Amino acid sequence: DQQVKQNSPSLSVQEGRISILNCDYTNSMFDYFLWYKKYPAEGPTFLISISSIKDKNEDGRFTVFLNKSAKHLSLHIVPSQPGDSAVYFCAASTTSGTYKYIFGTGTRLKVLA
Amino acid sequence: DTEVTQTPKHLVMGMTNKKSLKCEQHMGHRAMYWYKQKAKKPPELMFVYSYEKLSINESVPSRFSPECPNSSLLNLHLHALQPEDSALYLCASRHEARATTGELFFGEGSRLTVL
């Protein structure tokens, strides 16, 4: 049972345009969400997070939006750069007890120059 | 120092071998994690240690045995593995006391091949 899903396995975007990566979750107990970027043969690198008390968080070119009623979050990258090409994972956790991070299936982003 | 260091980077072992994966962090983090990732799949949680005590075991087979000798080190002992256990094993840590941010810091992983 996949509790965190990314329904688009891949996405191609022109350099300078906006990239939108989507993530859906099923467990209403999740209240903390993160996005990670992963290059081949490397560990995931943290990008940005959001708590369920917010609906938006920005950090430079990266913005995460959370829609709790729809159990949906999205990552916007503006403007997209070729160096952003990687696999992006969303992750979800509860903030009670031990944080148990559950990862989504990943979306491979390709930014075309 | 913001690194999680994993050794070895690559490991090939037979089904009868005993080997260990090691993970080290010096960020003062008190929660450490083992994940397993197969190709084109998300990282899957295996174990979580909190303050050197095992707090989560995601029903992992006993041929995988975790150990946390101190707050900086995390080991994964491997014995009698199967070829389907071949995967990238990722270690991660988190500063347990920081309730406002909770990102995991990952190592680069140990690529395991079981023959």
Side-chain angles (χ1 to χ4, degrees), chain A residues 1-10 20-27 30 33-35 65-66 70-75 87-93 101-108, chain B residues 40-43:
Chain A
D1 177 28
Q2 190 66 38
Q3 297 184 68
V4 182
K5 292 181 187 175
Q6 294 172 253
N7 290 319
S8 299
S10 63
I20 301 176
L21 297 98
N22 293 304
C23 179
D24 297 293
Y25 61 96
T26 56
N27 188 340
F30 290 147
F33 305 90
L34 309 92
W35 283 95
F65 295 91
L66 176 63
K71 294 193 180 70
H72 177 84
L73 63 154
S74 60
L75 174 69
V87 178
Y88 288 77
F89 290 99
C90 65
S93 181
Y101 296 80
I102 306 300
F103 282 79
T105 45
T107 296
R108 181 175 300 279
Chain B
K40 300 190 191 303
K41 296 286 187 186

Side-chain angles (χ1 to χ4, degrees), chain A residues 2 4 32 34 36 38 41-46 49 51 87 89 95 97-106 108, chain B residues 33 35 37 40-43 45 48 50 55-56 58 88 90 94 96 98-104 106-108:
Chain A
Q2 190 66 38
V4 182
Y32 189 71
L34 309 92
Y36 282 84
K38 188 176 187 297
E42 291 186 12
T45 303
F46 170 73
S49 63
S51 165
V87 178
F89 290 99
T95 52
T98 301
Y99 282 47
K100 191 175 170 179
Y101 296 80
I102 306 300
F103 282 79
T105 45
R108 181 175 300 279
Chain B
Y33 295 67
Y35 281 85
Q37 187 180 23
K40 300 190 191 303
K41 296 286 187 186
L45 182 63
V48 182
S50 179
S55 63
I56 294 178
E58 290 287 275
L88 181 68
L90 292 161
R94 179 180 169 270
E96 188 85 18
R98 288 176 61 185
T100 55
T101 59
E103 64 266 31
L104 287 178
F106 280 89
E108 292 196 347

Side-chain angles (χ1 to χ4, degrees), chain B residues 70-91:
Chain B
N70 60 56
S71 59
S72 300
L73 291 174
L74 184 67
N75 298 321
L76 186 64
H77 303 300
L78 314 170
H79 174 52
L81 294 194
Q82 304 296 312
E84 59 264 29
D85 297 322
S86 299
L88 181 68
Y89 288 83
L90 292 161
C91 174

Side-chain angles (χ1 to χ4, degrees), chain A residues 32-96:
Chain A
Y32 189 71
F33 305 90
L34 309 92
W35 283 95
Y36 282 84
K37 173 180 177 180
K38 188 176 187 297
Y39 294 116
E42 291 186 12
T45 303
F46 170 73
L47 281 174
I48 192 168
S49 63
I50 188 166
S51 165
S52 60
I53 61 173
K54 294 184 171 184
D55 54 18
K56 178 182 172 182
N57 190 26
E58 267 182 278
D59 185 0
R61 296 187 298 117
F62 302 93
T63 303
V64 56
F65 295 91
L66 176 63
N67 182 333
K68 279 177 293 188
S69 60
K71 294 193 180 70
H72 177 84
L73 63 154
S74 60
L75 174 69
H76 293 210
I77 306 174
V78 183
S80 301
Q81 299 172 354
D84 296 329
S85 298
V87 178
Y88 288 77
F89 290 99
C90 65
S93 181
T94 64
T95 52
S96 57

Side-chain angles (χ1 to χ4, degrees), chain B:
Chain B
D1 184 0
T2 57
E3 281 191 350
V4 176
T5 304
Q6 290 188 245
T7 55
K9 291 203 184 319
H10 300 276
L11 178 63
V12 179
M13 59 186 290
M15 290 190 282
T16 58
N17 292 158
K18 281 186 183 181
K19 297 284 185 184
S20 296
L21 305 179
K22 296 183 187 303
C23 175
E24 192 167 1
Q25 57 85 15
H26 295 288
M27 296 179 278
H29 290 177
R30 303 309 299 271
M32 295 186 78
Y33 295 67
W34 279 115
Y35 281 85
K36 171 182 176 179
Q37 187 180 23
K38 302 203 75 152
K40 300 190 191 303
K41 296 286 187 186
E44 285 180 35
L45 182 63
M46 299 176 74
F47 302 105
V48 182
Y49 274 83
S50 179
Y51 295 91
E52 294 103 74
K53 291 196 181 337
L54 183 66
S55 63
I56 294 178
N57 176 344
E58 290 287 275
S59 303
V60 179
S62 60
R63 58 185 184 268
F64 295 92
S65 175
E67 179 196 22
C68 190
N70 60 56
S71 59
S72 300
L73 291 174
L74 184 67
N75 298 321
L76 186 64
H77 303 300
L78 314 170
H79 174 52
L81 294 194
Q82 304 296 312
E84 59 264 29
D85 297 322
S86 299
L88 181 68
Y89 288 83
L90 292 161
C91 174
S93 69
R94 179 180 169 270
H95 196 314
E96 188 85 18
R98 288 176 61 185
T100 55
T101 59
E103 64 266 31
L104 287 178
F105 291 81
F106 280 89
E108 292 196 347
S110 292
R111 172 75 57 191
L112 173 66
T113 302
V114 182
L115 301 176

